[in-house]
Amino acid sequence: MDLSNVRAWTRELWDALPLDGGKVIDATVGNGYDTVYLAGRVGEKGTVWGFDVQEQALEAAKQQLRGAGLLDRCRLIKDSHENVDLYVSEPVDGVMFNLGWLPGTEHVVTTQAPSTIKAVNKCLRLLKKGGLMTVCVYPGHPEGEKEKVALLAWAEALDDTAFDARVTAYLNITKRPPLLIAVARRK
Ligand SMILES: C[S@@+](CC[C@H](N)C(=O)[O-])C[C@H]1O[C@@H](n2cnc3c(N)ncnc32)[C@H](O)[C@@H]1O
């Protein structure tokens, strides 16, 4: 068992979600590792909408997807995830957020609490019954700390008759460890 990073925790949840022929949103495409995973899971009849604000990220993801023969089922969109409703109107099986900046860059462009909160709210409205939303949060930098505070308050306030919200956090790492927020729609 690998508990050494939050993405491994995320994959455990996603691996348990039936997705063949499904529709999902990758809200933070980055270099496309998660997009490739999602595109593989939805199969040839499925759809992945992928959002990122950086052309560089979308290009890297496109190359990966093309190399894996998965590009045809993906719609890569250069826009902020807070505008998800301009592009996606159908109910979706899952939404994945992996917050922060593009690995390997100067850390200039990062996700930010106000737009992240708008995006999770809009994505939750699109989530089907039984659907899953995961958010990996990295409070080790100032914007990430703001996102952590805002997202925990947001998740705590969700209607408990419609959603189950859970947080998975490290107990033994002292330097602002990452955490995973997962929300499932019950009805
Ligand atoms: C940690 S990376 C994502 C990693 C990615 N999931 C992967 O598998 O490689 C975070 C990404 O979020 C993007 N981002 C920042 N603000 C955004 C926004 N408002 N909407 C969508 N993407 C955003 C960044 O450009 C960056 O590429």
Side-chain angles (χ1 to χ4, degrees):
M1 176 57 65
D2 179 7
L3 295 182
S4 66
N5 69 70
V6 281
R7 293 178 80 177
W9 299 350
T10 308
R11 288 290 168 89
E12 271 183 78
L13 294 178
W14 280 87
D15 284 347
L17 187 69
L19 275 182
D20 196 26
K23 296 179 192 308
V24 299
I25 296 170
D26 184 348
T28 49
V29 166
N31 287 319
Y33 293 101
D34 292 321
T35 326
V36 167
Y37 165 79
L38 293 171
R41 290 292 319 286
V42 297
E44 54 189 32
K45 296 209 170 104
T47 307
V48 182
W49 287 272
F51 291 84
D52 205 292
V53 287
Q54 297 195 76
E55 189 66 44
Q56 182 188 349
L58 293 171
E59 262 316 307
K62 199 182 277 182
Q63 276 188 26
Q64 285 219 63
L65 288 161
R66 193 178 286 121
L70 297 169
L71 186 57
D72 55 340
R73 62 194 74 166
C74 297
R75 301 184 195 165
L76 297 180
I77 298 153
K78 184 169 176 286
D79 199 350
S80 171
H81 39 222
E82 77 203 274
N83 297 321
V84 60
D85 52 329
L86 299 180
Y87 307 90
V88 187
S89 51
E90 304 151 63
V92 297
D93 300 280
V95 186
M96 187 185 284
F97 287 80
N98 188 358
L99 301 176
W101 47 67
L102 186 63
T105 59
E106 292 295 320
H107 302 177
V108 178
V109 180
T110 185
T111 53
Q112 309 219 345
S115 45
T116 299
I117 294 297
K118 277 187 200 155
V120 289
N121 275 319
K122 286 185 176 180
C123 287
L124 215 52
R125 276 182 224 130
L126 293 167
L127 200 63
K128 282 183 197 169
K129 184 178 167 186
L132 170 71
M133 177 187 295
T134 57
V135 189
C136 289
V137 193
Y138 302 90
H141 63 109
E143 281 306 325
E145 178 62 27
K146 288 182 200 161
E147 286 181 306
K148 174 185 160 182
V149 171
L151 282 162
L152 287 175
W154 167 81
E156 272 177 22
L158 289 174
D159 172 5
D160 66 356
T161 65
F163 300 102
D164 291 305
R166 122 185 170 185
V167 61
T168 315
Y170 287 101
L171 291 172
N172 63 334
I173 299 178
T174 49
K175 284 192 178 167
R176 298 185 180 185
L179 61 146
L180 169 65
I181 295 171
V183 180
R185 181 184 279 281
R186 201 186 294 160
K187 68 175 190 193

